[in-house]
């Protein structure tokens, strides 16, 4: 049975454009305080109906490729039943079905165990809401 549950909400400004925001540094800072060298699990959760959490490579084009793929799969046009905000905003409400609003990751000896090129990222296609909250929770 675990001994500790610690949680924190961080505020992320995504701006007025589609974005993939690397949260890895924020996760590592949180674990530096919360995990204190213990093994456990980090849960990353975005409590928004139009954003998701992805584990992927950043900086080599994969983040832009993800946004391009989402644009191709979910065009910002008038086909969507959900209509308010920017044209095509209904597609933003479908994004979390493809990019889940959460990820649970292993923590070993207080450190996030990611692969060499993996980063924890907030995926936000909603240009109408640049203010995001991300909940980080450590169980260990």
């Amino acid at each position: 049975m675990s001994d500790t549950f610690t949680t924190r909400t961080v505020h992320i400004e995504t701006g007025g454009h589609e974005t993939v925001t690397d949260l890895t540094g924020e996760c590592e800072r949180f674990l530096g305080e919360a995990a204190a060298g213990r093994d456990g699990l980090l849960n990353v959760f975005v409590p928004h109906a139009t954003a998701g959490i992805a584990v992927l490579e950043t900086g080599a084009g994969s983040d832009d490729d993800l946004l391009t793929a989402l644009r191709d799969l979910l065009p910002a046009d008038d086909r969507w039943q959900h209509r308010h905000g920017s044209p095509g905003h209904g597609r933003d409400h479908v994004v979390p079905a493809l990019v889940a609003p959460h990820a649970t990751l292993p923590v070993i000896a207080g450190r996030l165990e990611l692969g060499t090129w993996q980063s924890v990222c907030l995926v936000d296609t909603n240009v109408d809401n640049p203010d995001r909250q991300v909940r980080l929770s450590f169980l260990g």
Side-chain angles (χ1 to χ4, degrees):
M1 185 55 74
S2 67
D3 297 324
T4 303
F5 177 79
T6 306
T7 189
R8 173 181 303 152
T9 300
V10 294
H11 178 77
I12 306 293
E13 290 279 334
T14 58
H17 57 281
E18 298 175 350
T19 187
V20 174
T21 304
D22 191 339
L23 302 173
T24 309
E26 195 71 50
C27 292
E28 290 171 342
R29 282 186 289 284
F30 170 70
L31 289 172
E33 299 169 21
R38 291 187 309 274
D39 293 352
L41 296 171
L42 173 68
N43 182 265
V44 184
F45 175 72
V46 57
H48 298 283
T50 58
I53 301 295
V55 177
L56 75 155
E57 179 180 7
T58 60
S62 296
D63 37 357
D64 291 330
D65 289 342
L66 174 59
L67 292 175
T68 298
L70 289 172
R71 277 185 222 111
D72 289 348
L73 289 169
L74 308 170
D77 58 23
D78 64 357
R79 73 183 69 200
W80 306 102
Q81 303 276 329
H82 186 105
R83 294 175 191 243
H84 68 82
S86 299
H89 172 68
R91 67 122 184 190
D92 299 327
H93 288 271
V94 178
V95 167
L98 301 175
V99 181
H102 59 87
T104 301
L105 306 163
V107 176
I108 306 298
R111 297 185 51 91
L112 193 56
E113 284 293 305
L114 294 172
T116 302
W117 302 112
Q118 290 181 320
S119 296
V120 181
C121 299
L122 170 66
V123 179
D124 188 3
T125 61
N126 183 357
V127 299
D128 294 333
N129 184 4
D131 300 311
R132 297 302 187 171
Q133 305 299 316
V134 177
R135 177 159 302 277
L136 305 175
S137 301
F138 174 72
L139 180 64

